[in-house]
Amino acid sequence: VLVLVIDQLLPHQLDPRLPGGLGRLAREGRVFADAAHAHADTETCPGHAVILTGLHPGRVGIPVNDWTDHETLQSRYCVGDAGPDAAVLGAPPDRPGEPPSGRSPRSMRATALGDWLQAARPGARVFTVSGKDRSAIMLGGRRPAGAYWLDPRGALGFTTSRYYRAALPEWIAAWHGADPFAGWLAALPERWEHPTGAPPNGARPDDSPGEVSREGRTSGHPLRDTDVRVVMRRLLVTPWLDTLTLDFARTLIREERLGVGPAPDLLGLSLSGTDYIGHFYGPGSQEARDALLRLDADLARFLDALDAQVGPGRVVVALTSDHGVLDLSEWLVATGTSACPLEGGRVDARVLKRELEAALERRFGAVPAGEKPWAIDSGYAITVNRRLAAARGVPLAEIAEAARSFLATQPGVARVWTADEIARGAGPEPFATLYRRSYDPERSGDLVLQPIETCLVSEYPEGTSHGSPYLYDRAVPLVLAGSGIEPGVVRGRAAPVDLAPTLADLLGIPVPTGLDGQILPLR
Ligand SMILES: [Zn+2]
């Protein structure tokens, strides 16, 4: 079973007219054309958490990528782990005061398809691979045979943590080679050249306002450099990230002899390049279009290699994404498709945070140097500083209410949800249900900010993002293909949270009771 997640893929990008692997899945698979994530906080970690657990993010304990710990007030990364048994292989020791660089799935409060499969079918093996640690770890569940991701800091390449293994297998060292520039990075071009012609291909002009300028806004984005850290930084926003991830995964399939044993094996593969490219240039950019065509071609070769090893008819492929994305604000405004009342369509999250902190200091008093603010703002979530509240004798609810009433009047804000409302399921639908599914009482904020539809809340002045409860951030492709699955297009409700129970049922292993996902009809 191959579960393929393409980070930030929109439904229309799974186009049956594409000549390669994406097109093949769209033509030969069972396409759930109205599929969308069923939770509000549409980020990568929760998006991946639901796919193979069959549970909404709140119940997995992964409400967002990074949350504020209610007691320590420190930021917690969804797969961060300070334990010595979670150190990333090959990484230098952590420096004091920095967030832990260790990685594990210990924040997950749930098991996943891989755990169910290994328990039900002795000999079954589960591996995951991704450009991002959080994606590989979420898809793996508690105990995969291996979970590998690309370490973004430098020359480590694909690695894992001690949680999974004490040492990397030899084939991984061989894949990388002794010198990265003579080994795994040898095939990278000097620059990313791509077509620049405006429509008819449906894309925007190559040089469009609002695109991130860091690596240039037009074809010829630099890639090679003598410093591997520079190459890694650039690689993430080019199609070669996914090319390399697929090559690594193809080598894993061969070296670990996946799909040829007595029991089914599971490979969770998440491709991250589409997400970085979408954030930088927008989903309608020439860059996104070129990346999609290259991915389509790479996937054709990958699926052929998989068929060749495992045998045609013995592979089931499920493809989906962890979230969608909003197109570039500047493009939405220019084409008259923005509903955001703000000029430019952007809400500057840094300004909002500063003004909230100032308003609460005016009301409750100045915050001593070195102390966190009255309310800690991390993206859409706001967590009241319990330590300060206790020291000053101010009730938590009073601080939360002051923050809520301040934020609710700010431009670009549709509604500010309190944790109590979310837990009770109160408030307007469909949002009340979507926010409740994202809610974890220990990890969610005391308040959650809902932006106005098509307003981009971001701390960056360029690029675009996702994370809202609107359909552009929730709608994703969902397709299953392979033996026992009738091709066709199916309309109506379907969600990535349905994949785990659907695949468990297809594999003939017990489907845990109490899941949020439903078994999708495959014929
Ligand atoms: Zn993502």
Tab-separated table of all heavy atoms in Angstrom, residues 425-461:
chain	number	residue	atom	x	y	z
A	425	GLY	N	-19.205	23.291	21.409
A	425	GLY	CA	-19.783	23.233	20.060
A	425	GLY	C	-20.726	24.388	19.784
A	425	GLY	O	-21.587	24.301	18.903
A	426	ALA	N	-20.559	25.492	20.553
A	426	ALA	CA	-21.427	26.664	20.352
A	426	ALA	C	-20.869	27.532	19.227
A	426	ALA	O	-19.685	27.461	18.915
A	426	ALA	CB	-21.499	27.467	21.644
A	427	GLY	N	-21.731	28.365	18.620
A	427	GLY	CA	-21.272	29.281	17.577
A	427	GLY	C	-21.774	28.853	16.215
A	427	GLY	O	-22.334	27.764	16.054
A	428	PRO	N	-21.574	29.730	15.219
A	428	PRO	CA	-22.135	29.468	13.887
A	428	PRO	C	-21.486	28.264	13.196
A	428	PRO	O	-20.281	28.057	13.296
A	428	PRO	CB	-21.846	30.758	13.125
A	428	PRO	CG	-20.790	31.472	13.891
A	428	PRO	CD	-20.913	31.053	15.311
A	429	GLU	N	-22.327	27.510	12.508
A	429	GLU	CA	-21.859	26.378	11.693
A	429	GLU	C	-21.556	26.872	10.281
A	429	GLU	O	-22.095	27.883	9.869
A	429	GLU	CB	-22.942	25.290	11.652
A	429	GLU	CG	-23.189	24.598	12.986
A	429	GLU	CD	-22.036	23.726	13.465
A	429	GLU	OE1	-21.046	23.597	12.713
A	429	GLU	OE2	-22.110	23.223	14.576
A	430	PRO	N	-20.683	26.203	9.500
A	430	PRO	CA	-20.052	24.924	9.855
A	430	PRO	C	-18.824	25.075	10.751
A	430	PRO	O	-18.194	24.091	11.114
A	430	PRO	CB	-19.620	24.386	8.483
A	430	PRO	CG	-19.253	25.630	7.717
A	430	PRO	CD	-20.243	26.676	8.156
A	431	PHE	N	-18.512	26.334	11.096
A	431	PHE	CA	-17.225	26.578	11.755
A	431	PHE	C	-17.151	25.969	13.156
A	431	PHE	O	-16.097	25.495	13.570
A	431	PHE	CB	-16.931	28.079	11.762
A	431	PHE	CG	-16.929	28.652	10.371
A	431	PHE	CD1	-17.953	29.495	9.945
A	431	PHE	CD2	-15.942	28.291	9.463
A	431	PHE	CE1	-17.976	29.981	8.654
A	431	PHE	CE2	-15.961	28.778	8.170
A	431	PHE	CZ	-16.986	29.625	7.753
A	432	ALA	N	-18.290	25.989	13.890
A	432	ALA	CA	-18.261	25.436	15.250
A	432	ALA	C	-17.788	23.983	15.215
A	432	ALA	O	-16.935	23.563	16.003
A	432	ALA	CB	-19.642	25.547	15.888
A	433	THR	N	-18.321	23.214	14.279
A	433	THR	CA	-17.932	21.800	14.166
A	433	THR	C	-16.472	21.665	13.739
A	433	THR	O	-15.726	20.852	14.286
A	433	THR	CB	-18.857	21.087	13.160
A	433	THR	OG1	-20.186	21.125	13.690
A	433	THR	CG2	-18.440	19.650	12.927
A	434	LEU	N	-16.063	22.482	12.762
A	434	LEU	CA	-14.681	22.400	12.272
A	434	LEU	C	-13.693	22.735	13.384
A	434	LEU	O	-12.672	22.059	13.556
A	434	LEU	CB	-14.489	23.341	11.080
A	434	LEU	CG	-15.309	23.018	9.824
A	434	LEU	CD1	-15.215	24.157	8.812
A	434	LEU	CD2	-14.837	21.710	9.192
A	435	TYR	N	-13.980	23.793	14.164
A	435	TYR	CA	-13.065	24.164	15.261
A	435	TYR	C	-13.071	23.121	16.374
A	435	TYR	O	-12.047	22.847	16.988
A	435	TYR	CB	-13.406	25.561	15.803
A	435	TYR	CG	-12.826	26.667	14.933
A	435	TYR	CD1	-13.630	27.430	14.091
A	435	TYR	CD2	-11.454	26.916	14.934
A	435	TYR	CE1	-13.093	28.424	13.288
A	435	TYR	CE2	-10.906	27.903	14.128
A	435	TYR	CZ	-11.731	28.653	13.303
A	435	TYR	OH	-11.188	29.621	12.495
A	436	ARG	N	-14.233	22.532	16.646
A	436	ARG	CA	-14.285	21.513	17.699
A	436	ARG	C	-13.405	20.320	17.325
A	436	ARG	O	-12.725	19.733	18.161
A	436	ARG	CB	-15.729	21.064	17.945
A	436	ARG	CG	-15.887	20.155	19.156
A	436	ARG	CD	-17.339	19.961	19.562
A	436	ARG	NE	-18.228	19.725	18.435
A	436	ARG	CZ	-18.318	18.602	17.738
A	436	ARG	NH1	-17.553	17.567	18.062
A	436	ARG	NH2	-19.152	18.492	16.723
A	437	ARG	N	-13.377	19.966	16.057
A	437	ARG	CA	-12.556	18.820	15.629
A	437	ARG	C	-11.058	19.140	15.719
A	437	ARG	O	-10.239	18.228	15.769
A	437	ARG	CB	-12.924	18.437	14.196
A	437	ARG	CG	-14.309	17.818	14.110
A	437	ARG	CD	-14.692	17.679	12.668
A	437	ARG	NE	-15.997	17.055	12.494
A	437	ARG	CZ	-16.695	17.156	11.377
A	437	ARG	NH1	-16.219	17.858	10.357
A	437	ARG	NH2	-17.864	16.565	11.278
A	438	SER	N	-10.710	20.411	15.683
A	438	SER	CA	-9.296	20.783	15.818
A	438	SER	C	-8.892	20.948	17.286
A	438	SER	O	-7.727	21.180	17.567
A	438	SER	CB	-9.024	22.108	15.083
A	438	SER	OG	-8.910	21.888	13.694
A	439	TYR	N	-9.849	20.861	18.191
A	439	TYR	CA	-9.618	21.287	19.577
A	439	TYR	C	-9.045	20.195	20.474
A	439	TYR	O	-9.563	19.082	20.536
A	439	TYR	CB	-10.959	21.775	20.153
A	439	TYR	CG	-10.883	22.247	21.579
A	439	TYR	CD1	-10.253	23.435	21.900
A	439	TYR	CD2	-11.459	21.494	22.609
A	439	TYR	CE1	-10.182	23.868	23.219
A	439	TYR	CE2	-11.402	21.916	23.923
A	439	TYR	CZ	-10.756	23.109	24.219
A	439	TYR	OH	-10.688	23.526	25.516
A	440	ASP	N	-7.944	20.542	21.173
A	440	ASP	CA	-7.370	19.684	22.210
A	440	ASP	C	-7.330	20.525	23.487
A	440	ASP	O	-6.677	21.564	23.516
A	440	ASP	CB	-5.948	19.262	21.809
A	440	ASP	CG	-5.267	18.406	22.881
A	440	ASP	OD1	-5.250	18.804	24.062
A	440	ASP	OD2	-4.729	17.355	22.532
A	441	PRO	N	-8.026	20.099	24.556
A	441	PRO	CA	-8.150	20.975	25.737
A	441	PRO	C	-6.807	21.370	26.343
A	441	PRO	O	-6.681	22.456	26.897
A	441	PRO	CB	-8.991	20.157	26.723
A	441	PRO	CG	-9.164	18.809	26.128
A	441	PRO	CD	-8.784	18.869	24.680
A	442	GLU	N	-5.802	20.504	26.244
A	442	GLU	CA	-4.506	20.836	26.860
A	442	GLU	C	-3.594	21.623	25.933
A	442	GLU	O	-2.632	22.238	26.396
A	442	GLU	CB	-3.778	19.548	27.271
A	442	GLU	CG	-4.406	18.853	28.450
A	442	GLU	CD	-3.707	17.532	28.749
A	442	GLU	OE1	-2.531	17.361	28.351
A	442	GLU	OE2	-4.352	16.671	29.358
A	443	ARG	N	-3.836	21.569	24.618
A	443	ARG	CA	-2.860	22.126	23.678
A	443	ARG	C	-3.393	23.274	22.836
A	443	ARG	O	-2.592	24.059	22.308
A	443	ARG	CB	-2.345	21.002	22.769
A	443	ARG	CG	-1.565	19.964	23.560
A	443	ARG	CD	-1.195	18.748	22.760
A	443	ARG	NE	-0.436	17.811	23.579
A	443	ARG	CZ	-0.081	16.598	23.221
A	443	ARG	NH1	-0.409	16.147	22.009
A	443	ARG	NH2	0.599	15.824	24.037
A	444	SER	N	-4.717	23.370	22.683
A	444	SER	CA	-5.259	24.475	21.891
A	444	SER	C	-5.165	25.764	22.693
A	444	SER	O	-5.045	25.746	23.925
A	444	SER	CB	-6.719	24.194	21.533
A	444	SER	OG	-6.785	23.121	20.608
A	445	GLY	N	-5.242	26.906	21.996
A	445	GLY	CA	-5.208	28.193	22.679
A	445	GLY	C	-6.485	28.443	23.460
A	445	GLY	O	-7.491	27.758	23.294
A	446	ASP	N	-6.433	29.468	24.323
A	446	ASP	CA	-7.644	29.893	25.035
A	446	ASP	C	-8.583	30.626	24.085
A	446	ASP	O	-9.779	30.699	24.321
A	446	ASP	CB	-7.264	30.817	26.193
A	446	ASP	CG	-6.393	30.109	27.208
A	446	ASP	OD1	-6.845	29.072	27.731
A	446	ASP	OD2	-5.264	30.564	27.452
A	447	LEU	N	-8.003	31.176	23.028
A	447	LEU	CA	-8.780	31.847	21.986
A	447	LEU	C	-8.263	31.387	20.641
A	447	LEU	O	-7.066	31.086	20.496
A	447	LEU	CB	-8.600	33.367	22.070
A	447	LEU	CG	-8.997	34.061	23.361
A	447	LEU	CD1	-8.528	35.518	23.316
A	447	LEU	CD2	-10.508	33.992	23.585
A	448	VAL	N	-9.141	31.333	19.647
A	448	VAL	CA	-8.703	31.035	18.281
A	448	VAL	C	-9.292	32.085	17.351
A	448	VAL	O	-10.500	32.360	17.384
A	448	VAL	CB	-9.126	29.618	17.831
A	448	VAL	CG1	-8.627	29.355	16.421
A	448	VAL	CG2	-8.579	28.566	18.774
A	449	LEU	N	-8.432	32.668	16.553
A	449	LEU	CA	-8.833	33.753	15.664
A	449	LEU	C	-9.242	33.192	14.297
A	449	LEU	O	-8.487	32.447	13.675
A	449	LEU	CB	-7.632	34.697	15.534
A	449	LEU	CG	-7.768	35.992	14.775
A	449	LEU	CD1	-6.750	36.989	15.328
A	449	LEU	CD2	-7.510	35.778	13.295
A	450	GLN	N	-10.450	33.545	13.876
A	450	GLN	CA	-10.913	33.158	12.537
A	450	GLN	C	-10.836	34.377	11.624
A	450	GLN	O	-11.529	35.368	11.865
A	450	GLN	CB	-12.360	32.638	12.604
A	450	GLN	CG	-12.908	32.243	11.239
A	450	GLN	CD	-14.387	31.857	11.286
A	450	GLN	OE1	-14.957	31.709	12.368
A	450	GLN	NE2	-14.995	31.718	10.129
A	451	PRO	N	-10.002	34.334	10.569
A	451	PRO	CA	-9.908	35.495	9.683
A	451	PRO	C	-11.145	35.599	8.795
A	451	PRO	O	-11.887	34.620	8.640
A	451	PRO	CB	-8.674	35.193	8.838
A	451	PRO	CG	-8.593	33.705	8.817
A	451	PRO	CD	-9.165	33.219	10.124
A	452	ILE	N	-11.353	36.770	8.224
A	452	ILE	CA	-12.379	36.920	7.187
A	452	ILE	C	-11.935	36.119	5.972
A	452	ILE	O	-10.734	36.059	5.660
A	452	ILE	CB	-12.560	38.416	6.838
A	452	ILE	CG1	-13.198	39.148	8.032
A	452	ILE	CG2	-13.393	38.599	5.571
A	452	ILE	CD1	-13.311	40.648	7.836
A	453	GLU	N	-12.885	35.506	5.280
A	453	GLU	CA	-12.566	34.678	4.118
A	453	GLU	C	-11.722	35.474	3.110
A	453	GLU	O	-12.034	36.630	2.824
A	453	GLU	CB	-13.866	34.187	3.460
A	453	GLU	CG	-13.625	33.088	2.456
A	453	GLU	CD	-14.892	32.305	2.119
A	453	GLU	OE1	-15.985	32.721	2.550
A	453	GLU	OE2	-14.770	31.284	1.421
A	454	THR	N	-10.658	34.852	2.623
A	454	THR	CA	-9.659	35.376	1.671
A	454	THR	C	-8.725	36.440	2.258
A	454	THR	O	-7.870	36.954	1.535
A	454	THR	CB	-10.255	35.920	0.329
A	454	THR	OG1	-10.941	37.140	0.582
A	454	THR	CG2	-11.142	34.915	-0.355
A	455	CYS	N	-8.866	36.801	3.540
A	455	CYS	CA	-7.831	37.637	4.175
A	455	CYS	C	-6.688	36.710	4.600
A	455	CYS	O	-6.924	35.704	5.269
A	455	CYS	CB	-8.364	38.333	5.428
A	455	CYS	SG	-9.412	39.757	5.105
A	456	LEU	N	-5.476	37.061	4.234
A	456	LEU	CA	-4.318	36.251	4.608
A	456	LEU	C	-3.696	36.815	5.885
A	456	LEU	O	-3.235	37.951	5.901
A	456	LEU	CB	-3.277	36.264	3.482
A	456	LEU	CG	-2.009	35.460	3.794
A	456	LEU	CD1	-2.306	33.966	3.805
A	456	LEU	CD2	-0.905	35.783	2.802
A	457	VAL	N	-3.711	36.012	6.948
A	457	VAL	CA	-3.040	36.416	8.188
A	457	VAL	C	-1.637	35.826	8.134
A	457	VAL	O	-1.476	34.606	8.106
A	457	VAL	CB	-3.791	35.883	9.424
A	457	VAL	CG1	-3.060	36.294	10.708
A	457	VAL	CG2	-5.221	36.398	9.440
A	458	SER	N	-0.626	36.686	8.087
A	458	SER	CA	0.735	36.173	7.921
A	458	SER	C	1.733	37.135	8.540
A	458	SER	O	1.523	38.344	8.547
A	458	SER	CB	1.034	35.984	6.431
A	458	SER	OG	2.401	35.704	6.234
A	459	GLU	N	2.822	36.562	9.051
A	459	GLU	CA	3.883	37.424	9.585
A	459	GLU	C	4.864	37.836	8.497
A	459	GLU	O	5.790	38.584	8.758
A	459	GLU	CB	4.604	36.736	10.745
A	459	GLU	CG	5.176	35.384	10.393
A	459	GLU	CD	5.754	34.678	11.625
A	459	GLU	OE1	6.658	35.241	12.227
A	459	GLU	OE2	5.277	33.567	11.939
A	460	TYR	N	4.672	37.317	7.283
A	460	TYR	CA	5.569	37.658	6.181
A	460	TYR	C	4.874	38.629	5.229
A	460	TYR	O	3.683	38.478	4.952
A	460	TYR	CB	5.981	36.403	5.406
A	460	TYR	CG	6.562	35.337	6.291
A	460	TYR	CD1	5.835	34.190	6.600
A	460	TYR	CD2	7.830	35.492	6.850
A	460	TYR	CE1	6.358	33.206	7.433
A	460	TYR	CE2	8.362	34.521	7.685
A	460	TYR	CZ	7.625	33.387	7.970
A	460	TYR	OH	8.145	32.429	8.800
A	461	PRO	N	5.620	39.577	4.668
A	461	PRO	CA	4.999	40.543	3.752
A	461	PRO	C	4.784	39.988	2.346
A	461	PRO	O	4.095	40.600	1.537
A	461	PRO	CB	6.020	41.690	3.726
A	461	PRO	CG	7.331	41.058	4.075
A	461	PRO	CD	7.018	39.895	4.971
